[in-house]
Amino acid sequence: LNGERVLGIDTIGMAIITLLTDFGLKDSYVGVMKGVIASINEEAKVIDISHQVEPQNILEAAFLLRSAYRYFPKGTVHLVVVDPGVGSERSAIIVDQGDRIFVAPDNGVVSWSLRKSCGYNIYGIENPSFFLAEVSSTFHGRDIFAPVAAYLSKGMHPSNFGKKRDRLKTLEFPPVSVKEGSVTGEVVYIDRFGNLVTNIEQGMVSSGALSIRVKGVEIPGLSSFYAEKTEGELVAIIGSLGFLEVSVNLGSAKEVLQTKVGDKVEVILG
Amino acid sequence: LNGERVLGIDTIGMAIITLLTDFGLKDSYVGVMKGVIASINEEAKVIDISHQVEPQNILEAAFLLRSAYRYFPKGTVHLVVVDPGVGSERSAIIVDQGDRIFVAPDNGVVSWSLRKSCGYNIYGIENPSFFLAEVSSTFHGRDIFAPVAAYLSKGMHPSNFGKKRDRLKTLEFPPVSVKEGSVTGEVVYIDRFGNLVTNIEQGMVSSGALSIRVKGVEIPGLSSFYAEKTEGELVAIIGSLGFLEVSVNLGSAKEVLQTKVGDKVEVILG
Amino acid sequence: LNGERVLGIDTIGMAIITLLTDFGLKDSYVGVMKGVIASINEEAKVIDISHQVEPQNILEAAFLLRSAYRYFPKGTVHLVVVDPGVGSERSAIIVDQGDRIFVAPDNGVVSWSLRKSCGYNIYGIENPSFFLAEVSSTFHGRDIFAPVAAYLSKGMHPSNFGKKRDRLKTLEFPPVSVKEGSVTGEVVYIDRFGNLVTNIEQGMVSSGALSIRVKGVEIPGLSSFYAEKTEGELVAIIGSLGFLEVSVNLGSAKEVLQTKVGDKVEVILG
């Protein structure tokens, strides 16, 4: 989780745009954005990260982006449209990190995915000559963000779209409390399988005996894989994002423990 | 909403096929159609408009197509498979508008997307030499429509697939009643956010003071964006399709007003 | 249903990878796999078969793969990740059938899609030099399967990934009981429309008068298409997979008959 891209392979021929929205898949909003992108850059390859973000849940989108961005090739443009402030005076920004570019409303949704060690440049999205001719007040994904991402994917420099800025809105990643003998964090995401992803990093729980407490239940020790436990049993494991996760083998920890995002998870060390 | 493509950019190199069905995303139906398309035209880029149309709801599909088609490049083939009459004597058609081609069962699903001012040519889909070798009676999306769309995307002329026709089945777009001092329309679509899209066009409500009545509730005036109102408050707004919409800021008008498609919406002018 | 590809067209220029998982579409898992694939083979075209397999339901995934694989071009790599044993000692395999390649955990999920008449070669997936640098214990779709499928789609021979094997795990396709005067099978899949797909093949019910019994209800005769019956009426039909299906015209047989996978279906002949 050091922020570097995971793959040692650089592909630069293909222009990739990822999409992350709360638009769902029933309405035509996502298809329309892809139509706009194809109209501007027919070579762009669009990859969906998710369109099932809970409506207007910026924190959920921020988490999903953080879980995904490292796995895309150099040069990928990551477009996020979770935008409760659409049409208001809220800003829209481009964040250029060299290896990758983020495009989003300036509401903090990209802030957990920025690699501070390498620096980045922030630009406003202000130049209407790159927008659709008519800009609605409710669907900037179509009228502003899709065209800007498409032009960026063609190699256009971010400075064409607006002025350089000093700062962007950031969200605080929920902090972990570390005491002698215990680490207390919380559930930050729950996936389709009912796995409870916490904010407790692998390094905080890697040594010695420990047990995990969540919703009054105690789970002894870390497992190496789900099937170490019998069907229906709780299991604590380091998940694929490098965080402590609580799961049920062949079942749903969310259902078994009746958990929700924000619930406390405590690790008792030693 | 004048029917012209919104973008001033013509891309003709890439063959795009859009898909709009009621097949959902769990079954393999959509993937299979894409496999058939790739087998015939490996260069085709397939873009999903929606597969979550309510089963057999032709009106919903007609609305989604109308909301989307303008945003795709010149030459796009729009394939719609919402087809309760599959296997019966119902016809299948190609409608060629020069800039774009529609392929669908002849049940009216494309009729709200035709640009009457520029004319179009209608062809039957009758020539089995372009179908899969075995045609089932329940899945023409795979056996007939996907191959025909794929050949069209390669530039094959629509006349290869069947005879030219004079007419196609049309659906009536719900009419708006305009009286002195009021305009009465209805909810024609409800999106994921619970926004109520009406059939009342921007031009009908653009001047002067007004208020909107729906389900016994009165909303004073049009807003310019959702966040003009406080969280949970009703807001009337011109939506991204150019129609009056009723929404709740950071909430769902569908839930707050317990509305469904077909419910009356009245605009009191002046 | 003889196992041959249905299309007489061979396209070999394009590398296609199909994805079939139980990851759903809300989490970023599927998008991340596509990012890994694009990082390794930017030319690969990824087509989703389904990501809505019920969590850990290997039989459902096996059925969906069987329903789909024939409709993809020669050379397609079919990747299936439904993997309750992830991280344990369960094997991962490549099955090479010349025309197509399957990649999956060795849990039987590909066994209904193998064309026995033509033979196939099985290889283990063992060589970590093709995996991501860090392999998690919970997401081999990202760390192992996606990279292997991507390298295969570039034309790399399966023997690069591991040793040839003699056998793979197989699942039994539910057998049909054929007696004089009757055939008894079961519901093996239920689709979005509530159509009940059985394991009774077309050839078993193709001649003479017959009636179908399911959940105590008797349906007289086979229909040629849904709309032969009136709205809401039960209809027995040979479905698009070549199996007997029980449907309701413009409705859901699943709801009308309160059926589930495994329920018995009896055909009375003559």
Side-chain angles (χ1 to χ4, degrees):
Chain A
L1 279 179
N2 62 0
E4 296 301 319
R5 283 188 313 121
V6 172
L7 300 159
I9 305 131
D10 281 351
T11 61
I12 50 170
M14 176 68 72
I16 292 178
I17 298 172
T18 74
L19 297 184
L20 174 57
T21 79
D22 59 355
F23 292 162
L25 292 171
K26 173 163 181 181
D27 305 326
S28 60
Y29 301 135
V30 173
V32 162
M33 287 176 64
K34 292 177 181 175
V36 170
I37 289 169
S39 298
I40 292 167
N41 184 4
E42 57 170 314
E43 302 293 340
K45 179 183 218 141
V46 178
I47 296 180
D48 300 309
I49 293 180
S50 177
H51 300 290
Q52 308 282 16
V53 171
E54 187 191 25
Q56 277 111 21
N57 192 333
I58 296 169
L59 290 167
E60 191 172 81
F63 183 82
L64 287 170
L65 184 65
R66 178 181 170 147
S67 73
Y69 75 90
R70 285 183 192 79
Y71 296 92
F72 287 85
K74 189 172 173 169
T76 295
V77 176
H78 296 285
L79 173 53
V80 188
V81 190
V82 178
D83 191 12
V86 60
S88 72
E89 288 298 308
R90 72 97 185 84
S91 280
I93 51 169
I94 299 164
V95 186
D96 182 358
Q97 285 226 296
D99 266 16
R100 63 183 73 92
I101 297 176
F102 298 98
V103 182
D106 185 19
N107 58 21
V109 74
V110 307
S111 59
W112 296 348
S113 300
L114 299 177
R115 193 175 37 164
K116 271 138 205 142
S117 58
C118 295
Y120 43 79
N121 292 311
I122 310 165
Y123 301 86
I125 298 178
E126 298 145 0
N127 187 344
S129 56
F130 298 107
F131 305 165
L132 296 199
E134 283 184 49
V135 173
S136 70
S137 56
T138 61
F139 191 9
H140 288 189
R142 177 191 70 189
D143 304 331
I144 295 178
F145 289 113
V148 167
Y151 287 115
L152 285 166
S153 76
K154 292 180 91 160
M156 192 169 281
H157 193 271
S159 60
N160 289 284
F161 301 93
K163 287 198 202 68
K164 212 165 157 178
R165 298 185 180 192
D166 287 338
R167 58 186 64 239
L168 82 176
K169 196 166 181 314
T170 57
L171 301 168
E172 188 190 37
F173 193 72
V176 172
S177 151
V178 182
K179 294 192 189 138
E180 175 134 7
S182 80
V183 175
T184 305
E186 63 187 75
V187 176
V188 291
Y189 187 77
I190 303 179
D191 74 8
R192 186 196 192 202
F193 300 94
N195 298 317
L196 315 177
V197 185
T198 76
N199 56 346
I200 300 170
E201 289 182 37
Q202 180 163 19
M204 296 172 174
V205 295
S206 57
S207 59
L210 54 81
S211 65
I212 291 93
R213 275 190 209 145
V214 49
K215 299 277 280 188
V217 175
E218 188 152 338
I219 307 164
L222 282 180
S223 294
S224 298
F225 51 91
Y226 301 128
E228 254 181 33
K229 299 293 179 88
T230 57
E231 179 166 348
E233 221 180 336
L234 283 161
V235 50
I237 201 164
I238 300 301
S240 61
L241 303 171
F243 292 117
L244 177 69
E245 296 187 14
V246 174
S247 305
V248 163
N249 185 32
L250 300 173
S252 163
K254 180 190 177 182
E255 280 174 28
V256 167
L257 295 173
Q258 291 293 309
T259 348
K260 58 183 191 316
V261 166
D263 283 347
K264 224 199 285 188
V265 177
E266 197 181 355
V267 181
I268 316 295
L269 304 165
Chain B
L1 278 178
N2 62 0
E4 297 301 320
R5 283 188 312 120
V6 173
L7 300 160
I9 304 132
D10 282 349
T11 60
I12 51 171
M14 176 68 72
I16 292 177
I17 298 172
T18 74
L19 296 184
L20 174 57
T21 78
D22 58 355
F23 292 161
L25 292 171
K26 172 164 181 182
D27 305 325
S28 60
Y29 301 135
V30 172
V32 162
M33 287 177 64
K34 293 178 180 174
V36 170
I37 289 168
S39 298
I40 292 167
N41 184 5
E42 58 170 313
E43 301 293 340
K45 178 183 217 139
V46 178
I47 297 180
D48 299 310
I49 293 181
S50 178
H51 300 291
Q52 307 283 17
V53 172
E54 187 191 28
Q56 278 111 21
N57 192 333
I58 296 170
L59 290 167
E60 191 172 81
F63 183 83
L64 287 170
L65 184 64
R66 176 180 171 148
S67 74
Y69 75 90
R70 284 182 193 80
Y71 295 92
F72 287 85
K74 190 171 173 171
T76 295
V77 176
H78 296 285
L79 173 54
V80 188
V81 190
V82 178
D83 192 12
V86 61
S88 71
E89 288 299 308
R90 72 99 185 84
S91 281
I93 52 170
I94 299 165
V95 185
D96 182 358
Q97 283 227 296
D99 266 15
R100 63 183 74 92
I101 296 176
F102 298 98
V103 182
D106 185 19
N107 58 22
V109 74
V110 307
S111 58
W112 296 349
S113 300
L114 298 178
R115 193 176 36 163
K116 271 137 204 144
S117 58
C118 295
Y120 45 81
N121 292 310
I122 310 164
Y123 301 86
I125 297 178
E126 297 144 2
N127 186 344
S129 57
F130 297 106
F131 305 166
L132 296 199
E134 283 184 48
V135 173
S136 70
S137 56
T138 61
F139 191 9
H140 288 189
R142 176 191 71 189
D143 304 331
I144 295 179
F145 289 112
V148 166
Y151 287 115
L152 285 166
S153 76
K154 293 180 91 161
M156 192 170 282
H157 194 271
S159 60
N160 289 282
F161 302 93
K163 288 199 201 69
K164 211 166 157 176
R165 299 185 179 191
D166 286 339
R167 59 187 62 238
L168 83 174
K169 195 165 182 316
T170 57
L171 301 169
E172 189 191 37
F173 193 73
V176 172
S177 153
V178 182
K179 292 192 191 139
E180 174 133 9
S182 81
V183 175
T184 306
E186 62 187 75
V187 176
V188 291
Y189 187 77
I190 302 178
D191 75 8
R192 185 195 194 205
F193 300 93
N195 299 318
L196 315 177
V197 185
T198 76
N199 55 345
I200 300 171
E201 289 182 37
Q202 181 163 17
M204 296 171 174
V205 295
S206 55
S207 57
L210 54 80
S211 67
I212 290 93
R213 274 189 210 145
V214 50
K215 300 276 279 188
V217 176
E218 188 151 338
I219 307 165
L222 282 180
S223 294
S224 297
F225 51 92
Y226 301 128
E228 254 180 34
K229 299 291 180 91
T230 58
E231 180 167 350
E233 221 181 337
L234 283 162
V235 50
I237 201 164
I238 300 300
S240 62
L241 303 171
F243 292 118
L244 177 69
E245 296 187 13
V246 174
S247 304
V248 162
N249 185 32
L250 300 173
S252 163
K254 180 190 177 182
E255 279 173 27
V256 167
L257 295 173
Q258 291 293 308
T259 349
K260 58 184 191 314
V261 167
D263 283 347
K264 223 198 287 188
V265 178
E266 197 181 355
V267 181
I268 315 297
L269 303 166
Chain C
L1 277 179
N2 62 0
E4 297 300 321
R5 283 189 313 120
V6 172
L7 300 160
I9 305 133
D10 281 350
T11 60
I12 51 171
M14 177 66 73
I16 292 178
I17 298 172
T18 74
L19 297 185
L20 174 58
T21 79
D22 59 355
F23 291 161
L25 291 171
K26 173 164 181 182
D27 305 326
S28 60
Y29 301 135
V30 172
V32 162
M33 287 177 64
K34 293 177 180 174
V36 171
I37 289 169
S39 298
I40 292 167
N41 184 3
E42 57 170 314
E43 301 294 339
K45 179 183 218 141
V46 178
I47 297 180
D48 299 309
I49 293 182
S50 178
H51 300 291
Q52 308 282 17
V53 172
E54 188 190 26
Q56 278 113 20
N57 191 333
I58 297 169
L59 290 167
E60 192 172 80
F63 183 83
L64 286 170
L65 184 64
R66 178 183 170 145
S67 74
Y69 75 89
R70 283 183 193 80
Y71 295 92
F72 286 85
K74 190 171 174 171
T76 295
V77 176
H78 296 286
L79 173 55
V80 188
V81 190
V82 177
D83 191 12
V86 61
S88 71
E89 289 299 307
R90 72 99 184 84
S91 280
I93 52 170
I94 298 164
V95 185
D96 182 359
Q97 285 226 295
D99 266 15
R100 63 184 73 94
I101 297 175
F102 297 98
V103 183
D106 185 19
N107 58 20
V109 74
V110 306
S111 58
W112 296 350
S113 300
L114 297 177
R115 192 175 38 164
K116 270 137 204 143
S117 58
C118 295
Y120 44 79
N121 291 310
I122 309 163
Y123 301 86
I125 297 177
E126 298 145 0
N127 186 344
S129 57
F130 297 106
F131 305 165
L132 296 199
E134 283 182 49
V135 173
S136 69
S137 56
T138 60
F139 192 9
H140 288 189
R142 176 191 69 189
D143 305 330
I144 296 178
F145 289 113
V148 167
Y151 287 115
L152 286 166
S153 76
K154 292 179 92 160
M156 192 170 282
H157 194 271
S159 60
N160 289 284
F161 302 93
K163 287 200 202 67
K164 212 166 157 177
R165 299 185 180 192
D166 286 339
R167 61 187 61 239
L168 82 175
K169 195 164 182 316
T170 57
L171 302 168
E172 189 190 37
F173 193 72
V176 172
S177 153
V178 182
K179 292 193 190 135
E180 174 134 7
S182 81
V183 176
T184 305
E186 63 186 74
V187 176
V188 292
Y189 187 78
I190 302 179
D191 74 8
R192 185 196 192 202
F193 300 93
N195 298 317
L196 316 176
V197 185
T198 76
N199 57 344
I200 300 171
E201 290 183 37
Q202 180 163 18
M204 294 172 174
V205 295
S206 56
S207 58
L210 54 80
S211 66
I212 290 92
R213 273 190 211 145
V214 49
K215 300 276 281 189
V217 175
E218 188 151 337
I219 307 164
L222 282 180
S223 295
S224 297
F225 52 91
Y226 300 129
E228 254 181 34
K229 299 290 179 91
T230 57
E231 180 166 349
E233 222 182 335
L234 282 161
V235 50
I237 201 165
I238 299 302
S240 62
L241 303 171
F243 291 118
L244 178 69
E245 296 186 15
V246 174
S247 304
V248 162
N249 184 33
L250 300 173
S252 162
K254 181 190 177 183
E255 280 174 27
V256 167
L257 295 173
Q258 291 292 308
T259 349
K260 60 184 189 314
V261 166
D263 283 347
K264 224 199 286 187
V265 177
E266 198 181 355
V267 181
I268 315 297
L269 304 166

